[in-house]
Amino acid sequence: MSKVYTAQELIQILAAERQACLKGKRLKLEIPVSGNPVIDQFLMTDGLQQFTAYQDFKAAIHEYQRENQVSGIIWREVTVKGKNLNYPEVDSELIALNSDLEILKTARNSIVEFWYEVSMGMDLYLSFNNNKQYQQIVISDVERIVQRTEWAGLCKWENSSFLEIILQLGWGKPEEACYKRGRPQSGSEYIHAVNPGNRPIG
């Protein structure tokens, strides 16, 4: 029986392939930019060819995941204000299997409760327009969003004078949630907690 690669091994394979594509070692040569051969001969297509070659390779890895039931979940640990949480997250280069979605749904409440605990007393913002704009909100707004989400994620930006804790509240497929193309079936909202008087940077 042949070896089945783990999620960590697939992540390493994808990283190596991404570097090869960025260095121009992998190109998908038949990519037309405009569809017009007269115009295409004057356009620089290397970047598009590199990007498309990597996307094709990534799609093959995703198919491998499905065929071999290789989970896309990696476990993260976050420490905020002396409190620790281990939580599951689908790697940004992999996909979530149905079993992964169940793991994420099971972890949702502990992630949200951790975020509530460590963000107490902080200013809250909802990001929109691809995280370019922020609207200040209150905890009851967060609670309404939590009620309609299936899974959650965390991110932290911190240095000696700044702390931002981002709660991602998502539904549908995590690999499509951060891109508008997944809506309405998949998507997510980002709640940013910052110290009073600060604005989000993440």
Side-chain angles (χ1 to χ4, degrees):
M1 189 169 123
S2 63
K3 171 189 180 337
V4 174
Y5 292 101
T6 66
Q8 287 296 342
E9 289 169 328
L10 293 180
I11 291 165
Q12 291 170 353
I13 290 166
L14 280 163
E17 184 67 15
R18 185 172 49 247
Q19 284 304 311
C21 289
L22 288 172
K23 292 176 180 172
K25 294 179 180 174
R26 309 275 195 284
L27 297 175
K28 184 162 184 172
L29 298 176
E30 71 274 9
I31 299 298
V33 177
S34 70
N36 183 322
V38 176
I39 295 172
D40 284 349
Q41 66 181 330
F42 297 107
L43 298 176
M44 298 294 289
T45 58
D46 288 1
L48 183 60
Q49 291 169 345
Q50 292 165 3
F51 175 78
T52 305
Y54 179 69
Q55 293 305 312
D56 287 353
F57 186 83
K58 189 160 76 165
I61 292 289
H62 294 170
E63 188 56 35
Y64 177 89
Q65 277 186 263
R66 288 185 201 95
E67 288 174 3
N68 294 281
Q69 289 297 291
V70 179
S71 169
I73 285 185
I74 52 172
W75 285 85
R76 301 274 190 211
E77 182 177 1
V78 65
T79 302
V80 182
K81 299 179 180 177
K83 300 180 188 315
N84 296 322
L85 179 71
N86 287 307
Y87 64 96
E89 173 182 285
V90 175
D91 184 81
S92 62
E93 296 296 311
L94 299 178
I95 60 167
L97 304 176
N98 289 337
S99 56
D100 293 341
L101 292 174
E102 292 308 312
I103 292 169
L104 295 176
K105 289 174 183 178
T106 301
R108 183 194 82 151
N109 289 345
S110 62
I111 293 170
V112 170
E113 287 167 15
F114 178 84
W115 184 86
Y116 278 143
E117 188 178 349
V118 297
S119 66
M120 197 174 294
M122 299 176 82
D123 288 348
L124 307 178
Y125 290 87
L126 174 67
S127 64
F128 57 100
N129 193 13
N130 294 321
N131 291 344
K132 293 185 182 101
Q133 295 178 287
Y134 303 93
Q135 165 99 33
Q136 192 159 12
I137 58 174
V138 294
I139 204 73
S140 59
D141 298 320
V142 177
E143 289 165 355
R144 278 193 295 278
I145 298 169
V146 167
Q147 287 174 4
R148 63 178 197 254
T149 59
E150 298 172 353
W151 49 267
L154 285 171
C155 183
K156 172 185 81 163
W157 301 100
E158 183 175 27
N159 62 35
S160 60
S161 61
F162 182 81
L163 174 63
E164 179 175 359
I165 314 155
I166 305 167
L167 176 65
Q168 180 186 15
L169 297 170
W171 64 93
K173 297 179 180 179
E175 63 269 19
E176 295 179 359
C178 56
Y179 303 109
K180 298 299 183 196
R181 65 176 161 71
R183 287 185 185 246
Q185 292 83 14
S186 300
S188 60
E189 302 290 354
Y190 293 88
I191 313 297
H192 303 251
V194 293
N195 289 323
N198 287 338
R199 295 278 297 176
I201 61 168

